[in-house]
Amino acid sequence: MKTPLLRVGTPSTGASSSTFSSHGAPTHDVGPPPRTSVLLAQPGVLRPCTGAGASGSLARPLTSSKGAGYTSAAATPPPGSAMRGSTPGIRASPAGAAPASSGAPTEQADALEAKVHALLEAAAQCIAAGDPTGAVDSAKEAARREQRLCGLLEGAGAGDQISLDLKFAVSLGLAAAYEANGQLGEALGVYNQVIRSRLFPQAGWLRLNMGALHYAQRDYGQATRQFRMALDQTPPSYRRLRLNTQRNIGLACVRSGRYRDAADTLAAVMQEGPDHQTGYNLVLCAAALGDADLMRSAFTQLLQVPPYTEDSLAEESSEELAGTAGCAGPDGEPDALHVELQSKQAQADGFILTAARLIAPALHDDSWARGFDWCHDALAAAGYSALAGEVQLARANEHLSRREYAAAVSLLKEFERCDSKQRAQAAVNLATLHLLEAQHEAAAGYADFCCEADPGSAAALVSRGNVHLVQGRAEDALQLYEDALQVDSTCLQALFNAGLACRALGLPDRALALMHQLLHASPDHAEAMWHAGELCDELGDTPRAVEWLTRLLTRAAHDSTLLSRLGALHAKLGDEGEALAYHSEAFAADRTNLEAVSWLGAHHVRRQDYPAAVPFFEAAARAQPRESKWPLMVAGCLRRVGRLEEALLQYRQVYRMCPTNPEALRYLVALSGEFGLDDDVAKFTSELQRLERMQAAAAAATSTGVAGLPPTAALGRITAQRPPTSGGRPGPLPSLPMPPANAAAQQRAHGPPSPFTGAKAF
C-alpha cells in the first residue's frame, strides 16, 4: 500500500530546474524564466510622473494634490541634491541637458536578482546530485541575497517593485533543501512562515508539502489535517489535484489505523477517478476490516479499471513478443511508449493477483474454496484468463498449507490442459509433492517436463536439482542450481540448495560462501543463518558460529534447539556460565529437549549437586518413558544423597522396565540387604548370577566364532548404535529430509512442504 505522496514542486528558476505537475509528476521548463517585476530605470531618464503621458499623446490632466498638503509651486532643490520624486542616487538633469549616466542602485538590484536565480539553480542541482548539505547552503545564501535585494529596493524608494514571486521561490527552495537534508522541522517552519505571511495567494497548496512532511514524521493526524485543508483550498476545476489529495488522505488514515475512514475516502476516489493503485488499497482496507461485502465490491471496482494495454495477460508471452515486433522503432528497438504501457500493466496485474489471493480465503466463512471460485469466475469474466489460472495455482497452494494433498494434486493435474507456462508452474509443485512422497521417478518426470516446457525458469531447474540431490547425485544437483542462478541470480532457493549440495560434497568453504551470499540478499533468512553457524563450527571457527546463531536467536527467541546448540558451542569454548544459561533457557522453552536435559543433569552431577540433577533426569524419564537409563540416573543421584528408600523404588522401576540390567540388579541386592529384605536379596542375587552366566556364555561363543572365521571374513553389526555426540552437540543436519514411505506418514512427520526444498525448519 505504498503510494508516493503528492507534493507541490519548487517553482522554476531556470532552464534546468524541475517542477511538479498537478498529479505529482516532474516536468521540465524550457527557456529562461520570466523577468521579475523590478522596473529598471534607463540611464538619464526619470520615472514618469503621474500626469505624464506617453510620447506622441496628449498629457493626462493632473489632479489636485492640495488636500495632501502639497503646493503647485516646484521647490528648488539645493545644489547637489536629488530632485524630489526621483529615484535616490539618480541626479536630475537640467532642462536641455544631456541624460546622466546609469544609476548604481539599479545595477545592484539587477546583479542581486541574477545572483539569487543562480543560487536557486545551484540548490536544485545539488538536490538532484545527492548533495543536500550543499543545497541548504545555496538556498540560505539565496535567501540572504533576496533580503538584501528587498532592502536595496526599499532604500531606493522602490518598495513596490519587490518581486513576491522571487520571494516565494526562495522560501520554497529553502524548504525543499531542508527536506532533502532531513531537517523536516526547519522545512515545516519555513512553510508556516510563508502561509502566515498572507502575501501569496497560492500558498495554501503548500499544505500538501506540509502534510507530506508530517507523514514522514509519522504524525498521521497532522498529515490528515493538512491534506484536508489543502483539499478545501483547491478549486473544483483542479480535478486531478483534488483526487491525488484525497488519495493522500486515505493513506494517512490507513497509517493511523482508521480503516473505515480510509475505505470511505478511497471509495470516493474510485467513483471519480479510478486507478489500480487506489483500488488495490481499497481492497486492503476491506480485508483489514473483515468486511466480505466490501471486499467483493472493491475487487469488482478494481477489475473495472481500464487496462493500459489490450493484451495485458490474456495472451501468452510468445504472442506478446510477436506483437511487439510491429511496435519496434527505427533502430529495431521496441517502442518506448509500448514498453512503458506494458510495465504499467504488469504492475496492475500484480495488484489484481495479490488482491485476489488475499481476499479469496476470507470471502466465505463456511468454505474458503468458494472464495477462490468467486475470484476465478470474476477474473475470467473480466478478461483476465491468465490471472484466473494463477488464482487456481494459489488455491492448490492453500490445499497444501492445509495438508489436503490429494485435493492439491487433483487440482494441479487439471493444468495439463492449460497453456505451457501455467502447466510448467503446476508441474513444479507436482514434482515437489512426489519428491516428498519418495516417488522419485514421478518427481523426475515432472521436473524434466518443467525444464522442457519452460527452459528459462529457475524454479524448474531447482526442482530438477532437488531430485538429483535426493537421489545422492549432489554434483549434478549443484550444476543445475548454478544454471538456475545463471537464469535468475536472485533465486533464493537455488542459493540455499546449492549450499546444501556443497555441504553434501564436503565443500564447507564453498557452502559457507553461498550462505553468506544468500544472507546478503535476504538478511533475515533463518535457515541460512543456522547452516552458516554449523558450517563455521565445522571449519573450526566456533566464535563466528556463536555470532551467527546469536543473530538467529533474535528471530527465534524461544527456539529450544537453537538455545541448546548455543549452549553446546559455549561449552566447547569453555564458557561454562553461558552454556548453563543457554541450556537452562532451552529447558524452560521445551522440557522434552533431551540435549538440554542431559547436559544440565550431567552438569550438576559433575558439580556433585545431586539433588539439583534429579529434576532434569525425571523430566527426561517423562519424555522417554520406555528408556531405562533415566530412572537409573535418578536412582543413582538419590542413592548418593542418602535417600536410599526412594533409590530402591527407582531401581525396582528399572528392573520392571529392563530385567536384564546388571547395574540395577547389583544395587537392588545391596539396598535390599540394607533394609533386611532377605527374600528380595535371594531373588535378585539369583537373577544377577543367571545374567552373568548368560553374558559369559555369549562372550565365549563370540570368541570361538571369531577364531573360526577365515582371515578375509568381516563381522556384521548385530545391534544398531546411536551416533556419538560431542559436548551435547547434535548430529549434522541432513541436506534434504528423506520423506516417509507413504503420504500419510509424511503428513504426520513433516506437515506441508517447505517453500525451500531441503530446508530444515525449526
Side-chain angles (χ1 to χ4, degrees):
M1 191 186 285
K2 195 171 183 180
T3 304
L5 294 177
L6 175 67
R7 294 178 178 276
V8 177
T10 306
S12 174
T13 58
S16 63
S17 63
S18 298
T19 63
F20 286 78
S21 62
S22 59
H23 59 277
T27 60
H28 299 279
D29 296 330
V30 178
R35 301 292 294 174
T36 61
S37 59
V38 177
L39 181 61
L40 302 180
Q42 297 181 0
V45 179
L46 298 178
R47 182 179 178 181
C49 298
T50 305
S55 60
S57 62
L58 296 176
R60 180 170 61 85
L62 290 172
T63 57
S64 174
S65 59
K66 289 183 178 181
Y70 294 97
T71 61
S72 58
T76 303
S81 64
M83 181 178 179
R84 182 184 299 271
S86 63
T87 303
I90 304 179
R91 296 178 59 88
S93 53
S101 60
S102 60
T106 304
E107 294 176 355
Q108 293 179 9
D110 194 7
L112 279 174
E113 184 180 357
K115 186 61 177 178
V116 170
H117 281 286
L119 288 170
L120 288 179
E121 287 284 348
Q125 291 174 0
C126 289
I127 293 176
D131 182 15
T133 304
V136 170
D137 295 338
S138 298
K140 285 183 176 180
E141 183 63 24
R144 285 193 291 268
R145 290 182 180 269
E146 193 274 336
Q147 290 178 358
R148 287 179 54 190
L149 175 61
C150 294
L152 179 63
L153 292 175
E154 290 176 355
D160 57 337
Q161 298 179 9
I162 295 176
S163 174
L164 296 180
D165 294 338
L166 183 61
K167 185 181 291 292
F168 183 79
V170 168
S171 300
L172 192 55
L174 181 59
Y178 278 138
E179 182 180 357
N181 200 35
Q183 299 173 261
L184 305 184
E186 288 79 356
L188 284 171
V190 174
Y191 285 136
N192 281 320
Q193 290 179 2
V194 173
I195 290 176
R196 285 198 299 264
S197 65
R198 300 183 181 277
L199 296 175
F200 312 104
Q202 73 276 26
W205 287 353
L206 292 181
R207 294 192 181 276
L208 287 173
N209 289 14
M210 297 177 67
L213 293 176
H214 285 298
Y215 189 95
Q217 292 177 335
R218 299 185 179 182
D219 188 358
Y220 303 116
Q222 279 294 329
T224 304
R225 177 174 173 270
Q226 295 293 340
F227 288 143
R228 292 191 184 279
M229 294 175 68
L231 182 64
D232 294 339
Q233 298 181 17
T234 304
S237 57
Y238 291 84
R239 178 175 173 272
R240 181 175 295 181
L241 182 59
R242 290 180 62 86
L243 289 176
N244 285 333
T245 306
Q246 288 179 292
R247 292 186 183 97
N248 289 358
I249 295 172
L251 289 177
C253 291
V254 168
R255 290 294 185 180
S256 59
R258 295 178 293 152
Y259 298 113
R260 180 60 64 182
D261 295 341
D264 295 341
T265 303
L266 296 175
V269 175
M270 289 296 291
Q271 292 294 331
E272 299 181 14
D275 66 281
H276 293 95
Q277 176 74 69
T278 304
Y280 175 68
N281 290 346
L282 181 58
V283 171
L284 294 184
C285 291
L289 292 170
D291 191 340
D293 294 334
L294 182 58
M295 282 188 275
R296 293 190 189 92
S297 174
F299 188 72
T300 303
Q301 293 181 34
L302 177 59
L303 294 181
Q304 291 174 352
V305 178
Y308 292 97
T309 58
E310 296 181 357
D311 54 347
S312 59
L313 277 180
E315 301 179 3
E316 297 306 314
S317 58
S318 59
E319 296 177 1
E320 290 179 356
L321 292 176
T324 56
C327 302
D331 299 334
E333 298 180 357
D335 179 53
L337 178 59
H338 186 76
V339 172
E340 178 67 18
L341 290 177
Q342 281 189 331
S343 175
K344 288 188 175 182
Q345 185 59 47
Q347 184 183 25
D349 292 335
F351 289 148
I352 295 173
L353 182 59
T354 305
R357 290 173 174 172
L358 175 66
I359 68 173
L363 287 178
H364 297 277
D365 296 333
D366 54 346
S367 174
W368 61 268
R370 290 175 57 192
F372 280 97
D373 292 336
W374 184 87
C375 290
H376 176 270
D377 296 340
L379 287 168
Y384 293 97
S385 58
L387 293 183
E390 293 285 345
V391 169
Q392 289 295 86
L393 286 174
R395 179 179 177 179
N397 292 334
E398 186 69 20
H399 279 298
L400 292 177
S401 66
R402 296 173 183 267
R403 302 185 180 183
E404 301 172 359
Y405 298 107
V409 171
S410 175
L411 187 60
L412 290 171
K413 287 184 176 180
E414 293 180 1
F415 283 89
E416 295 178 358
R417 299 183 296 272
C418 297
D419 56 82
S420 59
K421 185 176 180 180
Q422 291 186 352
R423 187 166 48 189
Q425 293 176 358
V428 169
N429 291 344
L430 287 171
T432 304
L433 286 173
H434 286 295
L435 187 65
L436 293 174
E437 292 177 355
Q439 300 176 5
H440 298 163
E441 295 298 329
Y446 280 112
D448 291 338
F449 172 78
C450 295
C451 296
E452 294 173 1
D454 193 2
S457 172
L461 294 171
V462 170
S463 179
R464 189 71 181 97
N466 294 341
V467 175
H468 286 318
L469 191 58
V470 170
Q471 292 174 343
R473 300 161 57 186
E475 189 172 355
D476 295 337
L478 180 59
Q479 182 61 46
L480 286 168
Y481 295 143
E482 290 177 349
D483 293 342
L485 291 173
Q486 292 285 340
V487 174
D488 182 7
S489 60
T490 62
C491 182
L492 302 184
Q493 295 89 339
L495 280 172
F496 182 74
N497 289 349
L500 296 180
C502 290
R503 192 174 182 183
L505 290 171
L507 303 172
D509 292 336
R510 188 174 176 186
L512 183 59
L514 288 168
M515 293 300 170
H516 284 169
Q517 186 178 352
L518 173 58
L519 288 168
H520 179 73
S522 178
D524 296 332
H525 199 290
E527 294 169 346
M529 292 184 203
W530 171 268
H531 284 280
E534 291 294 305
L535 289 166
C536 288
D537 187 39
E538 287 183 16
L539 294 171
D541 191 359
T542 306
R544 184 61 176 164
V546 171
E547 290 180 12
W548 278 116
L549 295 186
T550 304
R551 178 178 170 185
L552 176 59
L553 192 62
T554 62
R555 305 289 301 171
H558 303 288
D559 189 274
S560 178
T561 303
L562 176 59
L563 289 167
S564 62
R565 187 71 184 98
L566 277 169
L569 291 176
H570 281 289
K572 186 175 181 180
L573 292 173
D575 192 347
E576 197 77 8
E578 286 293 326
L580 177 62
Y582 278 114
H583 278 111
S584 300
E585 290 184 24
F587 177 72
D590 182 11
R591 293 183 177 271
T592 62
N593 187 338
L594 296 179
E595 294 292 340
V597 168
S598 60
W599 190 94
L600 288 169
H603 169 76
H604 290 295
V605 168
R606 287 193 301 268
R607 296 173 59 89
Q608 298 184 357
D609 189 1
Y610 301 109
V614 169
F616 297 108
F617 292 134
E618 289 177 345
R622 288 191 295 270
Q624 288 184 330
R626 296 184 180 181
E627 184 65 45
S628 61
K629 69 176 181 179
W630 302 120
L632 196 62
M633 298 294 292
V634 173
C637 292
L638 293 174
R639 179 176 53 82
R640 288 176 181 270
V641 296
R643 297 161 62 179
L644 300 181
E645 186 175 355
E646 298 178 29
L648 179 60
L649 294 176
Q650 289 292 331
Y651 283 124
R652 287 180 180 274
Q653 180 181 351
V654 175
Y655 174 74
R656 287 192 297 269
M657 295 173 60
C658 183
T660 59
N661 190 306
E663 183 179 355
L665 289 172
R666 291 190 188 97
Y667 283 112
L668 281 171
V669 171
L671 291 176
S672 298
E674 281 199 33
F675 285 104
L677 304 174
D678 297 335
D679 295 338
D680 290 343
V681 170
K683 173 185 175 182
F684 294 129
T685 301
S686 174
E687 289 285 341
L688 180 60
Q689 291 174 353
R690 185 175 63 86
L691 180 62
E692 289 175 348
R693 288 194 300 268
M694 291 174 58
Q695 289 178 349
T702 303
S703 61
T704 303
V706 170
L709 288 176
T712 57
L715 290 176
R717 292 183 181 270
I718 299 176
T719 58
Q721 298 181 359
R722 183 179 180 182
T725 58
S726 172
R729 174 182 174 183
L733 294 174
S735 58
L736 277 175
M738 293 298 293
N742 52 63
Q746 171 64 34
Q747 295 180 21
R748 292 191 299 270
H750 296 284
S754 173
F756 295 96
T757 304
K760 182 176 178 65
F762 296 105

